[in-house]
Amino acid sequence: MMGLTKISVLSKLIIPMALLGISCEKQNNNGIEEAPVISTVETTLQKEMPFKMGAAVNVSLLKNNTNYRNLVVKEFNSITAENAMKFASVHPSKDTYTWSEADYLVDFAITNGKRIHGHTLNWYKSLPDWVTKFQGTTAEWENLLKTHIQTVVSHFKGKVVSWDVVNEAINEDGTFRNSIWVQKLGVDYIGRAFQYAHEADPGALLFYNDYGHEFGPTKRTAIINLVNNLKGQGIPINGIGLQMHTRVTQTDSNLAAAISTAAATGLLVHISEIDIALNPDNNQSLTYTTDLGVQQAAKYKAVVKAYNAIPKAQQFGITQWNVTDGDSWIPSNYSRPDWPLPFDAQYRRKPAYQGILDGVK
Ligand code: 9MR
């Protein structure tokens, strides 16, 4: 009787446990029934991958959407602020700093044992009007740059472990972007931005972050030259961020060249903003298909495989830009349907998720 009772209990347990990826052992070698043994726990990116896995997080969703928050807590061990640390967010007028959103994110990360990566101290976008309209001498612009960087870095000192110090300073043709910073201060401001950040927190890891390394050698070479020049001048730069806002039609060889060329600098390499668009041609009537999902999985796998091949000591991690297809910046930014991330809008894992896991097998 005992045995029968046990078997019927086990049979009830088998299906739900199998769904959870938990296996049951019914008998030992002597044919004696045993209690179910939990042999595996649920797979997550942060547990399976040999380097940090991150996401760019929207603070409002983190506060208000439980599914979103739970997915972030479960899957990732590194967090980037999607917008909460940008100039306009933290420094909306000359003498006002607003920390509440960014502080919330930093507290969330620390409470949940996640690394927090700062994004970004200097960019040509997301500047408040008071900066774009600022009238001042070169010295006053320099002071504006330095004060902003040092106030932000000091505020988060000891909590934010790394910063994208300068973001997107290079054009597609390899020239320097004629940003407001270059117009006011000249291209050498880039090195000084790193020095200012380093003075404020000598322990922080400092990155140059840009997109388009995978477009081809022109932009890639210009970025690598910039970074190597900074290194050569003794500027405190620790890493290079490859945003990798890419598309399913990009070749594996271009993606691999982007990663290996960055690694050849000897610096840390962060794939800092990855998403893989399925609809780069803005087809308004495109729908997500199994086939597109499979192609996307193969592309994520190719990126992860190339990243896994660089020296371990240089693997700062892979960060996806946003959490699910439902909150990705791409559909709203380009006014098109798209599904660029490893999770769908219902918080479910897509084939791309398995592609990421397969990249390190
Ligand atoms: O995803 C971000 C979007 O919500 C903002 O409106 C936009 C402007 O601040 O920036 C987006 O994030 C960008 C990142 O900061 C830098 N690399 C490109 C990202 C996508 O545009």
Side-chain angles (χ1 to χ4, degrees), residues 292-311:
L292 281 173
V294 169
Q295 289 177 43
Q296 186 180 49
K299 207 52 69 178
Y300 269 101
K301 179 179 175 183
V303 171
V304 171
K305 200 171 170 201
Y307 188 72
N308 198 39
I310 71 171

mmCIF file of all heavy atoms in Angstrom, residues 292-311:
data_model
loop_
_atom_site.group_PDB
_atom_site.id
_atom_site.type_symbol
_atom_site.label_atom_id
_atom_site.label_comp_id
_atom_site.label_asym_id
_atom_site.label_seq_id
_atom_site.Cartn_x
_atom_site.Cartn_y
_atom_site.Cartn_z
ATOM 1 N N LEU A 292 12.023 33.772 -38.463
ATOM 2 C CA LEU A 292 12.773 34.950 -38.016
ATOM 3 C C LEU A 292 13.378 34.713 -36.631
ATOM 4 O O LEU A 292 14.513 35.099 -36.354
ATOM 5 C CB LEU A 292 11.862 36.183 -37.985
ATOM 6 C CG LEU A 292 11.592 36.860 -39.324
ATOM 7 C CD1 LEU A 292 10.547 37.960 -39.167
ATOM 8 C CD2 LEU A 292 12.874 37.442 -39.915
ATOM 9 N N GLY A 293 12.598 34.054 -35.785
ATOM 10 C CA GLY A 293 13.089 33.750 -34.439
ATOM 11 C C GLY A 293 14.326 32.862 -34.481
ATOM 12 O O GLY A 293 15.281 33.072 -33.715
ATOM 13 N N VAL A 294 14.333 31.910 -35.397
ATOM 14 C CA VAL A 294 15.479 30.993 -35.529
ATOM 15 C C VAL A 294 16.710 31.748 -36.059
ATOM 16 O O VAL A 294 17.833 31.574 -35.576
ATOM 17 C CB VAL A 294 15.093 29.803 -36.441
ATOM 18 C CG1 VAL A 294 16.304 28.987 -36.829
ATOM 19 C CG2 VAL A 294 14.051 28.931 -35.745
ATOM 20 N N GLN A 295 16.475 32.615 -37.034
ATOM 21 C CA GLN A 295 17.596 33.424 -37.569
ATOM 22 C C GLN A 295 18.187 34.324 -36.482
ATOM 23 O O GLN A 295 19.405 34.495 -36.381
ATOM 24 C CB GLN A 295 17.105 34.308 -38.713
ATOM 25 C CG GLN A 295 16.762 33.570 -39.990
ATOM 26 C CD GLN A 295 16.215 34.546 -41.026
ATOM 27 O OE1 GLN A 295 16.728 35.633 -41.212
ATOM 28 N NE2 GLN A 295 15.139 34.149 -41.684
ATOM 29 N N GLN A 296 17.304 34.905 -35.687
ATOM 30 C CA GLN A 296 17.768 35.791 -34.612
ATOM 31 C C GLN A 296 18.573 35.005 -33.570
ATOM 32 O O GLN A 296 19.603 35.474 -33.081
ATOM 33 C CB GLN A 296 16.558 36.459 -33.965
ATOM 34 C CG GLN A 296 16.924 37.501 -32.924
ATOM 35 C CD GLN A 296 15.672 38.121 -32.333
ATOM 36 O OE1 GLN A 296 14.747 37.420 -31.923
ATOM 37 N NE2 GLN A 296 15.625 39.435 -32.308
ATOM 38 N N ALA A 297 18.107 33.797 -33.260
ATOM 39 C CA ALA A 297 18.830 32.957 -32.298
ATOM 40 C C ALA A 297 20.242 32.680 -32.802
ATOM 41 O O ALA A 297 21.220 32.742 -32.041
ATOM 42 C CB ALA A 297 18.075 31.655 -32.081
ATOM 43 N N ALA A 298 20.357 32.386 -34.099
ATOM 44 C CA ALA A 298 21.678 32.083 -34.673
ATOM 45 C C ALA A 298 22.585 33.315 -34.583
ATOM 46 O O ALA A 298 23.798 33.201 -34.340
ATOM 47 C CB ALA A 298 21.518 31.639 -36.121
ATOM 48 N N LYS A 299 22.010 34.508 -34.748
ATOM 49 C CA LYS A 299 22.826 35.733 -34.713
ATOM 50 C C LYS A 299 23.280 36.032 -33.277
ATOM 51 O O LYS A 299 24.433 36.379 -33.035
ATOM 52 C CB LYS A 299 22.008 36.877 -35.309
ATOM 53 C CG LYS A 299 22.791 37.983 -35.928
ATOM 54 C CD LYS A 299 23.825 37.558 -36.950
ATOM 55 C CE LYS A 299 23.275 37.016 -38.245
ATOM 56 N NZ LYS A 299 24.346 36.662 -39.212
ATOM 57 N N TYR A 300 22.377 35.880 -32.318
ATOM 58 C CA TYR A 300 22.790 36.043 -30.911
ATOM 59 C C TYR A 300 23.892 35.042 -30.574
ATOM 60 O O TYR A 300 24.887 35.368 -29.924
ATOM 61 C CB TYR A 300 21.600 35.860 -29.949
ATOM 62 C CG TYR A 300 20.870 37.150 -29.629
ATOM 63 C CD1 TYR A 300 19.672 37.480 -30.247
ATOM 64 C CD2 TYR A 300 21.377 38.053 -28.693
ATOM 65 C CE1 TYR A 300 18.997 38.665 -29.944
ATOM 66 C CE2 TYR A 300 20.711 39.238 -28.381
ATOM 67 C CZ TYR A 300 19.525 39.536 -29.009
ATOM 68 O OH TYR A 300 18.876 40.710 -28.717
ATOM 69 N N LYS A 301 23.715 33.803 -31.045
ATOM 70 C CA LYS A 301 24.726 32.776 -30.771
ATOM 71 C C LYS A 301 26.080 33.182 -31.352
ATOM 72 O O LYS A 301 27.121 33.033 -30.696
ATOM 73 C CB LYS A 301 24.272 31.436 -31.351
ATOM 74 C CG LYS A 301 25.273 30.322 -31.130
ATOM 75 C CD LYS A 301 24.783 28.988 -31.690
ATOM 76 C CE LYS A 301 25.904 27.949 -31.541
ATOM 77 N NZ LYS A 301 25.514 26.666 -32.122
ATOM 78 N N ALA A 302 26.066 33.709 -32.572
ATOM 79 C CA ALA A 302 27.334 34.092 -33.218
ATOM 80 C C ALA A 302 28.041 35.190 -32.419
ATOM 81 O O ALA A 302 29.272 35.152 -32.247
ATOM 82 C CB ALA A 302 27.068 34.558 -34.649
ATOM 83 N N VAL A 303 27.277 36.154 -31.924
ATOM 84 C CA VAL A 303 27.885 37.234 -31.136
ATOM 85 C C VAL A 303 28.476 36.674 -29.840
ATOM 86 O O VAL A 303 29.621 36.958 -29.476
ATOM 87 C CB VAL A 303 26.842 38.338 -30.813
ATOM 88 C CG1 VAL A 303 27.401 39.341 -29.814
ATOM 89 C CG2 VAL A 303 26.389 39.048 -32.088
ATOM 90 N N VAL A 304 27.685 35.859 -29.154
ATOM 91 C CA VAL A 304 28.145 35.325 -27.868
ATOM 92 C C VAL A 304 29.368 34.430 -28.073
ATOM 93 O O VAL A 304 30.329 34.471 -27.295
ATOM 94 C CB VAL A 304 26.993 34.562 -27.164
ATOM 95 C CG1 VAL A 304 27.504 33.814 -25.939
ATOM 96 C CG2 VAL A 304 25.882 35.541 -26.780
ATOM 97 N N LYS A 305 29.360 33.655 -29.149
ATOM 98 C CA LYS A 305 30.488 32.766 -29.434
ATOM 99 C C LYS A 305 31.773 33.577 -29.657
ATOM 100 O O LYS A 305 32.832 33.252 -29.114
ATOM 101 C CB LYS A 305 30.164 31.937 -30.678
ATOM 102 C CG LYS A 305 30.986 30.712 -30.799
ATOM 103 C CD LYS A 305 30.491 29.814 -31.906
ATOM 104 C CE LYS A 305 31.562 28.745 -32.095
ATOM 105 N NZ LYS A 305 31.504 28.112 -33.365
ATOM 106 N N ALA A 306 31.661 34.636 -30.438
ATOM 107 C CA ALA A 306 32.842 35.477 -30.691
ATOM 108 C C ALA A 306 33.304 36.144 -29.401
ATOM 109 O O ALA A 306 34.503 36.272 -29.137
ATOM 110 C CB ALA A 306 32.513 36.523 -31.759
ATOM 111 N N TYR A 307 32.356 36.559 -28.587
ATOM 112 C CA TYR A 307 32.713 37.211 -27.314
ATOM 113 C C TYR A 307 33.366 36.219 -26.356
ATOM 114 O O TYR A 307 34.317 36.538 -25.645
ATOM 115 C CB TYR A 307 31.452 37.820 -26.686
ATOM 116 C CG TYR A 307 31.758 38.679 -25.483
ATOM 117 C CD1 TYR A 307 32.364 39.930 -25.629
ATOM 118 C CD2 TYR A 307 31.456 38.260 -24.192
ATOM 119 C CE1 TYR A 307 32.660 40.722 -24.531
ATOM 120 C CE2 TYR A 307 31.747 39.041 -23.096
ATOM 121 C CZ TYR A 307 32.347 40.277 -23.266
ATOM 122 O OH TYR A 307 32.644 41.050 -22.175
ATOM 123 N N ASN A 308 32.869 35.006 -26.352
ATOM 124 C CA ASN A 308 33.406 33.974 -25.460
ATOM 125 C C ASN A 308 34.842 33.591 -25.834
ATOM 126 O O ASN A 308 35.566 33.025 -25.020
ATOM 127 C CB ASN A 308 32.494 32.744 -25.510
ATOM 128 C CG ASN A 308 32.704 31.806 -24.343
ATOM 129 O OD1 ASN A 308 32.909 32.247 -23.217
ATOM 130 N ND2 ASN A 308 32.675 30.514 -24.618
ATOM 131 N N ALA A 309 35.230 33.939 -27.060
ATOM 132 C CA ALA A 309 36.575 33.572 -27.541
ATOM 133 C C ALA A 309 37.646 34.591 -27.140
ATOM 134 O O ALA A 309 38.833 34.329 -27.305
ATOM 135 C CB ALA A 309 36.548 33.419 -29.064
ATOM 136 N N ILE A 310 37.257 35.763 -26.650
ATOM 137 C CA ILE A 310 38.291 36.730 -26.253
ATOM 138 C C ILE A 310 38.785 36.358 -24.845
ATOM 139 O O ILE A 310 38.119 35.603 -24.135
ATOM 140 C CB ILE A 310 37.796 38.200 -26.318
ATOM 141 C CG1 ILE A 310 36.777 38.517 -25.211
ATOM 142 C CG2 ILE A 310 37.232 38.520 -27.709
ATOM 143 C CD1 ILE A 310 36.429 40.008 -25.099
ATOM 144 N N PRO A 311 39.950 36.871 -24.451
ATOM 145 C CA PRO A 311 40.460 36.486 -23.125
ATOM 146 C C PRO A 311 39.458 36.782 -22.005
ATOM 147 O O PRO A 311 38.833 37.837 -21.979
ATOM 148 C CB PRO A 311 41.723 37.346 -22.985
ATOM 149 C CG PRO A 311 42.155 37.610 -24.400
ATOM 150 C CD PRO A 311 40.886 37.732 -25.190
#
